[in-house]
Amino acid sequence: MDRIDAMKVFVAAVDEGSLAGAGRKLRRSPAAVSRAIAFLEHHVGAELLHRTTRSLKLSDTGQRYAAACRRILSELEEAEISAGGERSAPRGTLTITAPVVVGEDVLRPLLDAFMTEYPAVSVRLVMLDRTVNLIDEGIDVALRIAQLADSNFIAIKLGEVRRVLAASPGYLARHPVIGEVADLAKHQIIAMTHFGLDSWSFPPAARSKVARAVQFAPRLVVNAVRAAVASASEGYGVTRLFSYHIAEEIRDGRLQILLPGDEHPPLPVHLLAPQGRFDVPKVRAFVDFAAPRLKRYFERLSHEASRASRSRRGRVSAE
């Protein structure tokens, strides 16, 4: 059996979560998929997948081998495309990663339009609220919201997003005024796992070099952005999120931004790719298609959030 072909089957099984799913994707029988994986396991001398009747789970060896397979298959595809010359038409599978909400709300509709424009390109969108190792996980392009460490990756800046405090007008009307950071300790807090479960930090006050922190016992802790947005919009407390998480709620008045003068500096948004990936036709086509559209989106988002902050400054509680 061809080892490269078996690797493709193995990666498809991992991505689809089942042998049957891999079979449907590759138009092969479950028995053929099973034989390919058994061939690889015999070749490496270790179990790669723990199989149950309903799901697959990677073994420790399987996790490392899957990362290696993605890297090998990506490099092989790149080599084949490069051999076709610089003018090769974009084709193949483009793998992109992004945080969950921006992936669902911003990238997904943009990718629909991109695939219409480039019918020979398929897309695998991996949405995770964690930093992904682009090389090990076979990623072509990442949309990343963070200060970037020095690396060999190539980055295109798209804009910035703010870390904002927000609450609904109804909540603010029923609770004490929030005029400074310390006031938050008196309020019901909706905490997000990766924004701080029992404290929030803030930049130093004027004429000080000491960062400020507010300790709290959260009324609600969630690990999903949409849950925090929904509870805050319905008046159950103050939450902290990225500005793009609540763009719609700010626009229609369901949430108000609080204490804009006490925010941390905005975080940059980049399209990020390993060295050399931007030269691959499918990646270059996506970047040329997506970058200007994403820049316009984040520029509009910044203007709307700034306008909302100015209009609400000093009016965070019903008079």
Side-chain angles (χ1 to χ4, degrees), residues 170-224:
Y171 174 87
L172 295 169
R174 300 190 307 270
H175 293 82
V177 172
I178 301 175
E180 59 183 28
V181 167
D183 294 335
L184 293 168
K186 309 169 189 174
H187 283 263
Q188 297 182 43
I189 302 297
I190 301 167
M192 273 285 296
T193 307
H194 50 285
F195 279 84
L197 292 179
D198 55 13
S199 68
W200 287 334
S201 67
F202 295 86
R207 297 183 296 278
S208 172
K209 296 183 179 180
V210 180
R212 293 169 291 171
V214 173
Q215 304 288 328
F216 52 78
R219 186 71 189 277
L220 174 65
V221 176
V222 296
N223 66 348

Side-chain angles (χ1 to χ4, degrees), residues 8 57-58 106 132 142 163 166 196 198 214 227 231 235-236 248 260 262:
K8 293 178 181 178
K57 183 179 180 182
L58 284 167
V106 182
V132 176
R163 287 162 285 188
D198 55 13
V214 173
S231 287
Y236 290 100
E248 181 180 340
D262 294 294

Side-chain angles (χ1 to χ4, degrees), residues 268-280:
V269 185
H270 292 90
L271 283 180
L272 191 68
Q275 193 79 247
R277 294 305 290 171
F278 281 159
D279 296 328
V280 177

Side-chain angles (χ1 to χ4, degrees), residues 17-19 49-57:
S18 70
L19 301 186
L49 293 171
H50 301 309
R51 303 164 179 79
T52 69
T53 55
R54 295 187 177 182
S55 65
L56 300 176
K57 183 179 180 182

Side-chain angles (χ1 to χ4, degrees), residues 207-281:
R207 297 183 296 278
S208 172
K209 296 183 179 180
V210 180
R212 293 169 291 171
V214 173
Q215 304 288 328
F216 52 78
R219 186 71 189 277
L220 174 65
V221 176
V222 296
N223 66 348
V225 168
R226 296 193 192 282
V229 173
S231 287
S233 298
E234 292 169 13
Y236 290 100
V238 179
T239 193
R240 189 179 216 177
L241 296 162
F242 285 133
S243 51
Y244 72 87
H245 290 151
I246 57 172
E248 181 180 340
E249 287 75 16
I250 293 297
R251 196 176 299 124
D252 64 20
R254 283 180 287 162
L255 289 175
Q256 296 177 197
I257 292 177
L258 312 176
L259 305 179
D262 294 294
E263 294 173 4
H264 287 288
L267 288 173
V269 185
H270 292 90
L271 283 180
L272 191 68
Q275 193 79 247
R277 294 305 290 171
F278 281 159
D279 296 328
V280 177

Side-chain angles (χ1 to χ4, degrees), residues 9-92:
V9 173
F10 172 58
V11 169
V14 173
D15 289 343
E16 298 299 315
S18 70
L19 301 186
R24 287 191 295 271
K25 180 177 181 180
L26 300 175
R27 297 182 180 180
R28 305 187 189 190
S29 69
V33 173
S34 184
R35 282 196 301 271
I37 294 173
F39 166 78
L40 287 180
E41 290 179 328
H42 176 76
H43 180 77
V44 301
E47 186 180 37
L48 301 175
L49 293 171
H50 301 309
R51 303 164 179 79
T52 69
T53 55
R54 295 187 177 182
S55 65
L56 300 176
K57 183 179 180 182
L58 284 167
S59 65
D60 290 342
T61 300
Q63 288 181 337
R64 295 190 295 272
Y65 193 69
C69 286
R70 292 190 195 281
R71 187 166 57 250
I72 290 167
L73 294 173
S74 178
E75 291 174 355
L76 177 62
E77 182 184 28
E78 182 178 343
E80 291 174 344
I81 292 172
S82 296
E86 293 183 358
R87 296 184 180 181
S88 297
R91 61 182 175 84

Side-chain angles (χ1 to χ4, degrees), residues 89-94 114-116 118-123 281-283 285-286:
R91 61 182 175 84
T93 299
L94 177 71
F114 173 74
M115 289 186 291
T116 299
Y118 294 94
V121 179
S122 300
V123 176
K282 64 182 179 182
V283 178
F286 171 73

